Amino acid sequence: MPKVYPNANVKGSAAAPKPLADNHGNSPVVLTVWKKSLLFNCDGFTVFDNKGNLVFRVDNYNAGTKGEIVLMDASGNSLLSIRRKRLSLSDCWLVFEGETDVHPLFSVKKNVNLLNSKSLAQVYDQGKGAVSSPKKKVVYEIEGSYGQRCCAVYDNNHRRVAEIKRKEAVKGVAFGIDVFRLIVQPDEIDPSMAMALVILLDQMFGASYIITRRFSTC
């Protein structure tokens, strides 16, 4: 398999956080996502920038079955906590800052509308500035096929703000579906939030999901 983590600290010891690659103007941030934890015998995600520096990690992915996942930076500092919404009839999750459990930033709900087969999930604003209403505002819509690693995040004006794509083959050797690209427009969505959406898509449409039933534009 081609090398995925050129500058990663595979032993998981503490390291100074590496900034994301310099972004000039409207250039996107291109991240490589590996569905694997750098810690031994632990599931998760490991994310690198285009220079091979570790930028995000998830080392408690097994905890997802208990309803909580923590997205961390390279040094293990908690950035976002993702928790399944209790007493919800649908597949709905809440995203919090750090490891707090009050005042969620966003909620993410799996699409159940069969008439909108392109849609995977909707993201709702739950922040302090959000309108206090039973009908929350949709700020992002996710469309495509996560199983095929071919989907995009659109804002409420249907502008593409993030995209998941298969990683290109290296010297003729292809990567599997556990290694893929996350391309983010940082002026439109924070890269950490985009990665949180990847984690949620994996919870909603992981290996057990029948990928052939989802729309794909690839």
Side-chain angles (χ1 to χ4, degrees), residues 164-193:
I164 295 171
K165 299 177 66 175
R166 292 278 187 102
K167 185 174 171 65
E168 306 84 356
V170 176
K171 296 181 179 180
V173 180
F175 292 91
I177 62 171
D178 286 345
V179 181
F180 52 94
R181 296 285 196 196
L182 175 60
I183 304 168
V184 183
Q185 299 294 338
D187 292 338
E188 305 297 336
I189 184 172
D190 189 272
S192 63
M193 181 60 196

Side-chain angles (χ1 to χ4, degrees), residues 88-102:
S88 175
L89 298 178
S90 59
D91 198 348
C92 186
W93 296 72
L94 298 174
V95 180
F96 297 84
E97 184 176 0
E99 294 190 59
T100 63
D101 58 2
V102 294

